[in-house]
Amino acid sequence: MQPKSPSVLECPVGRAVETVGEWWSILILRDAFQGATKFDEFSQSLGIAPNILSRRLAHLTASGMFVRRRYQERPPRDEYVLTEKARDFFPVIATLLTWGNKHLAPKGEAILLANRSDVRPFDPVVVDAADMQPITLANAVVIAGPRASRGMRARLASLKAMNPAVAPVGD
């Protein structure tokens, strides 16, 4: 059951999780970024049950992450093409890969993200576009956006670690 709390539904993180938070969805997107477009390609790569794959692809399509494009008429077959919305999710996958390599690969990295032109491994970090400085828990706070409801403004004001009036919690 999906959360229906206004503070979750109004939150961009809550909406993102609603769209791609289920683990199969993230793995489907990972495979799409690696070139998979066809049902059979996703199925073979993931070892996922066909009914689950169908549901996840339908959800990702309805959410605007994929568009279906017919590639064969007899029998009718569609492929799943990444949208701009989905391509904008790629940095999230890159960040998950980096985090997983740092914290969940005790024997070393099995997969690295590399520069396409010279195959130099990347070291992804999330930075502020204005000053190119890394965004960390120590230097970030959340503030109400222009469309925040009264309830969201009250919730943000009650936060501790992410409140601008509270000292940072370490790096």
Side-chain angles (χ1 to χ4, degrees):
M1 185 171 173
Q2 300 299 328
K4 299 298 179 206
S5 154
S7 69
V8 172
L9 295 176
E10 189 175 350
C11 173
V13 175
R15 290 192 307 265
V17 170
E18 176 81 23
T19 301
V20 295
E22 193 272 334
W23 75 296
W24 283 121
S25 295
I26 293 173
L27 294 176
I28 290 166
L29 287 164
R30 176 206 62 187
D31 283 6
F33 292 135
Q34 295 172 350
T37 61
K38 297 178 176 128
F39 187 94
D40 291 341
E41 293 170 338
F42 292 115
S43 179
Q44 183 177 3
S45 172
L46 298 169
I48 184 174
N51 62 324
I52 295 172
L53 179 56
S54 291
R55 279 198 310 270
R56 298 320 308 153
L57 287 169
H59 173 76
L60 289 167
T61 301
S63 298
M65 300 296 276
F66 286 124
V67 292
R68 286 175 63 166
R69 183 170 60 198
R70 181 70 36 105
Y71 70 90
Q72 179 179 310
E73 290 299 327
R74 292 178 190 245
R77 298 273 190 256
D78 294 327
E79 64 181 344
Y80 296 86
V81 180
L82 291 164
T83 63
E84 180 180 355
K85 181 179 181 179
R87 288 188 301 274
D88 285 346
F89 189 73
F90 181 75
V92 177
I93 295 290
T95 304
L96 282 170
L97 185 149
T98 301
W99 181 83
N101 275 340
K102 181 176 181 179
H103 296 286
L104 305 173
K107 294 181 180 179
E109 299 131 333
I111 297 172
L112 296 171
L113 192 61
N115 185 301
R116 188 178 293 273
S117 64
D118 63 6
V119 197
R120 173 189 51 81
F122 281 134
D123 185 17
V125 294
V126 178
V127 298
D128 174 43
D131 64 11
M132 300 309 288
Q133 294 300 308
I135 298 171
T136 68
L137 184 57
N139 69 11
V141 297
V142 291
I143 60 172
R147 300 286 298 159
S149 67
R150 264 197 311 263
M152 180 57 74
R153 290 175 190 281
R155 179 183 176 279
L156 294 176
S158 74
L159 298 177
K160 293 179 183 163
M162 297 298 278
N163 188 315
V166 177
V169 183
D171 216 24

